[in-house]
Each structure stands twice: as C-alpha cells, then as structure tokens.
Amino acid sequence: MEMIKDAFDHVTKKQKLSCSKTQEVLDLIDQEIKQMLQKIQSSNECESQVDLKSTIAELKNKLKDIAPLSQTESTQKELNLALSKYPKLLEKTFNPDIAKAYRNVEFDAHTVNEIIGSHFYRQGLFELGDCFLSEAEEPESAAAMKSQFQEMFQIVEAMKCQNLEPALKWAIANSDKLKPNGSDLLLKLHSLQFVGILQKGDRDGALHYARTYLAPFASDHMAEIQKLMVCLLWTGKLDNLPYSHLLSKSNWDKVAGELTRQFCNILGQSYESPLSMTIAAGVQGLPPLLKFMNVMVGKRNEWQTMKQLPVPVELDREFQFHSIFVCPVSKEQATDENPPMFMSCGHVLCKQSITKMSKNGTKTFKCPYCPSDIDSAQCRQLHF
C-alpha cells in the first residue's frame, strides 16, 4: 500500500506542477492582451491615431516570445508519464482475479453467520442485523447478541451527548468484574462527571461529588485525584488550569473506547469486530498467495491438498493472536504433527529435527545451542 500511496502522491505532485505552470502562462498572456487593449483605449480617448495592424502584430510577437506550448509541454509530458504508470501499478498490485488463491475450506456456517450478525450489531445497525440473521435462519442467535450490543450502543450514544448516567450505572453494576481486569474505568467516568460539574461553575457541587465518589479511589489513585482537586482552585477560570488535558474533549472519546473494550471483555467478545479483523488480515495476506499461485500455474490440485500455507505470510502485530514456534534447525514452523519439544538443557527444537539428529532415537546428540548431550527419550512436548 505504501508503494501505491507514493505513486499517487507523485501523480498529484506532477498534476499540481502542470496546473501551476499552465496558470502562470495564461496569466502572462492575459496581461499582454490587457496591456494592448489599454493602449488602444487610451489612443481613442486622446484622439490619436493608432495603427491597429501594427499593434496586433506587436501583440502576436509578444505572445510568440512567451511560447505557451513550449513552456507547458515538459510539465504536461511528466504528468502524462506519471498517469500512464499509475494504472499499471494498480493493476499489478490489485489483482482482479483473486480466485486463484481460493481453496476449498469447510466453514461452520452458523459461526460465520453469528460473526456477520454481531458486526452489524456492533455498528448499531440493529435492523440490518435482524434482517440478515432472519434470512440466515439464525433467530436464536439474534436475540442474545442484539440485547448485549444494544445496551452498549445506548451507553456510548448517551456519552456522545455528554450524559454519563447510563455508563456510571453499568460500571457500578459491573465493578466486581472490572477490578480483576485492572480497569480504572469507574474512576475515569467519575472524573469526567466531576470536571463537567466544575465547567458549569459549581465549585460546591464538585467538592461534594469528589467527597462522595472520588474519595474511595484515593488509596490507589492519589496522584490523579490530587490533580482533580487542584481544579477546584481554578473554578471560573479553567482556561488557565495547569492541567489543561483534564478538560480535553478527547477524554470523552478515550473513556468511551475504554468502556467499549471492557464491555466486550465482560461479554467474552473481542474489542475489534472479528469480521473486520478477518477481512483486514486477508487483504494483507492475499498478495503473497496470489504471487505464489502465479508461480504454481497448473498445480492447483497440490494447493488444494496442502495442510499449511505454502509460503510464509507476514501479518502485522495486531493480527497475531497465538504463539508460534519456528524450529532453529529446520527453519520450519511447528505443527500438530511436528510439535516443539523441550530438551533437558532447556532449549527447544521441533520433533522432526530431534528425530533426525538422534537417528530415530538410537543415539544421543549435541544441542545446537549448548554442549549438552541430549537423549531424545527425555524430551517433552511443549504446549503454548
């Protein structure tokens, strides 16, 4: 994607340069024509005779000296060249025929339907989610998922309107589940409410709120509460508050995001939509697979029977959810048939490497990392 972005920026730059040069030439032509018209008009007012033929010839020579075509030709050529290369890059990068990388995989239709339905509910598209699950004949799944995400959506929408009551009510009701997660969501909500009262100029109301709701957090969050208490001294002049970040509107978005994360966590759901994550990971992993299939033309049957991906597909950190192990000897990723094995010296190799180095368990071998003698019988499978 970076290559496409750079190419697009290059086309944009050339287009701006071409437009700028063209405008510059047009301004020069306009200036010469206006000067000539002004000269003719002045001669008419002074009742002096002007040779129109020679005047027009003079204008023609000046326009010829400007050479508009020559001045704009080079920048236009550069633009045309950039424009001709860009579509080819798009076609090369975004292969229109992605069916080559498709393989027959058995899907659990029920799980896929639930993932799609929950995605609609996460976005607040409840009618669309109901319609999809109804047509997919998943009515039982719809009721459970919809009620969960409806409550979350209503809380977040209320926060967008600066109403914290639903969020506070939910956080208090689930405080026993939030604490084990190490979340300070309840404190953040009370802090927003406290700052909101101060912004209305009600110092006494803010002090009473702090004593009632912030005091219980003092033992674990004294530094945060001290900063909030300083705000009381700046009531009516909060614009000069030394801790101006406490007044930032972005705090509402951050707390809303934290609430969504904790809400999903308590429900046993991921914070990000599984559908969005799957599609994003697929988009990132598709190019190397398509490239591989172009090399493997005519061997589609082999591709269909492979239990693992035939080429390494590097995904960004956000798409990595499970630990993996690559054997330092064979350089192959561990599988169920070739699991990682923990040796007596503390190092780890894959089972097939140990089997090969021990001659099928008939002899000890030296660990490739340390001088220890390893007996394959003492190796134990390692589970991540």
Side-chain angles (χ1 to χ4, degrees):
M1 293 302 292
E2 283 297 322
M3 187 184 299
I4 294 174
K5 183 179 181 301
D6 292 342
F8 179 80
D9 292 340
H10 180 67
V11 171
T12 304
K13 181 179 178 181
K14 293 300 181 183
Q15 185 182 36
K16 289 181 179 178
L17 185 64
S18 178
C19 289
S20 176
K21 190 64 179 177
T22 302
Q23 188 61 50
E24 180 184 336
V25 172
L26 289 174
D27 289 341
L28 286 173
I29 294 173
D30 181 62
Q31 182 180 347
E32 291 297 336
I33 293 174
K34 285 182 177 179
Q35 287 179 353
M36 190 59 62
L37 289 174
Q38 187 176 6
K39 181 178 179 181
I40 294 173
Q41 187 176 1
S42 298
S43 64
N44 291 335
E45 291 176 354
C46 298
E47 296 182 358
S48 59
Q49 296 294 325
V50 175
D51 187 355
L52 292 177
K53 190 173 182 180
S54 62
T55 301
I56 293 175
E58 182 184 352
L59 174 61
K60 184 178 179 181
N61 290 332
K62 287 183 177 180
L63 294 180
K64 187 177 180 180
D65 292 339
I66 293 175
L69 293 179
S70 299
Q71 288 200 51
T72 58
E73 186 178 15
S74 60
T75 55
Q76 188 62 40
K77 279 184 177 180
E78 291 178 1
L79 174 59
N80 291 339
L81 181 62
L83 284 171
S84 65
K85 290 182 177 179
Y86 188 62
K88 295 177 182 177
L89 178 63
L90 288 177
E91 186 176 349
K92 182 180 178 181
T93 306
F94 297 107
N95 193 322
D97 182 17
I98 64 174
K100 292 184 291 185
Y102 172 78
R103 59 186 297 182
N104 296 322
V105 178
E106 292 184 4
F107 287 103
D108 182 348
H110 172 70
T111 302
V112 173
N113 289 336
E114 283 194 339
I115 289 173
I116 297 174
S118 69
H119 177 79
F120 291 137
Y121 290 147
R122 283 170 180 268
Q123 309 301 316
L125 304 172
F126 297 105
E127 290 185 6
L128 184 57
D130 288 343
C131 179
F132 172 79
L133 290 173
S134 175
E135 293 190 9
E137 298 181 354
E138 301 277 0
E140 295 180 1
S141 302
M145 287 191 295
K146 181 178 180 180
S147 61
Q148 293 172 349
F149 288 112
Q150 258 185 334
E151 183 182 4
M152 183 184 77
F153 190 78
Q154 288 169 355
I155 292 173
V156 174
E157 285 299 303
M159 290 186 68
K160 291 179 181 179
C161 300
Q162 309 283 298
N163 179 10
L164 288 172
E165 292 303 322
L168 284 167
K169 184 178 179 181
W170 178 86
I172 292 170
N174 292 276
S175 58
D176 58 328
K177 298 176 183 177
L178 292 171
K179 287 180 181 178
N181 294 337
S183 173
D184 57 352
L185 176 62
L186 189 56
L187 172 62
K188 291 176 179 177
L189 290 169
H190 282 308
S191 299
L192 285 178
Q193 192 80 310
F194 171 82
V195 171
I197 296 171
L198 268 184
Q199 288 176 321
K200 296 177 182 177
D202 186 1
R203 179 187 294 178
D204 293 338
L207 180 59
H208 176 73
Y209 190 88
R211 286 172 174 169
T212 306
Y213 298 106
L214 296 179
F217 297 95
S219 59
D220 298 323
H221 303 277
M222 180 57 74
E224 293 93 325
I225 292 176
Q226 285 176 337
K227 291 178 181 179
L228 290 170
M229 292 304 99
V230 170
C231 297
L232 291 169
L233 303 175
W234 296 84
T235 306
K237 46 184 178 180
L238 291 174
D239 291 340
N240 300 320
L241 182 68
Y243 304 117
S244 57
H245 65 278
L246 295 174
L247 307 177
S248 175
K249 292 183 178 179
S250 64
N251 291 336
W252 285 81
D253 294 330
K254 292 177 182 177
V255 176
E258 173 69 11
L259 184 141
T260 303
R261 185 181 298 276
Q262 293 301 329
F263 199 106
C264 291
N265 190 27
I266 290 175
L267 290 178
Q269 299 276 353
S270 61
Y271 173 64
E272 298 289 347
S273 164
L275 182 63
S276 298
M277 292 292 286
T278 302
I279 292 175
V283 168
Q284 196 172 110
L286 188 59
L289 290 178
L290 287 171
K291 187 176 181 180
F292 170 78
M293 289 310 300
N294 286 332
V295 176
M296 293 283 290
V297 174
K299 297 184 179 181
R300 182 169 176 79
N301 290 334
E302 292 182 22
W303 161 240
Q304 292 290 346
T305 57
M306 290 179 181
K307 294 183 178 180
Q308 298 184 58
L309 291 177
V311 289
V313 177
E314 298 293 336
L315 296 179
D316 291 342
R317 188 69 181 173
E318 64 265 27
F319 301 122
Q320 299 177 21
F321 302 99
H322 304 286
S323 299
I324 60 171
F325 175 75
V326 176
C327 180
V329 174
S330 66
K331 308 300 182 185
E332 293 180 353
Q333 185 173 316
T335 63
D336 291 339
E337 294 77 18
N338 185 28
M341 303 295 289
F342 187 77
M343 299 185 293
S344 56
C345 62
H347 293 114
V348 181
L349 299 177
C350 274
K351 184 177 180 179
Q352 290 178 1
S353 297
I354 292 176
T355 301
K356 186 176 181 180
M357 294 173 73
S358 66
K359 304 296 183 182
N360 289 324
T362 60
K363 57 178 286 187
T364 60
F365 63 94
K366 292 283 186 182
C367 171
Y369 281 102
C370 65
S372 301
D373 290 322
I374 305 299
D375 182 356
S376 61
Q378 296 179 354
C379 298
R380 297 288 179 266
Q381 184 172 339
L382 187 63
H383 299 275
F384 290 106

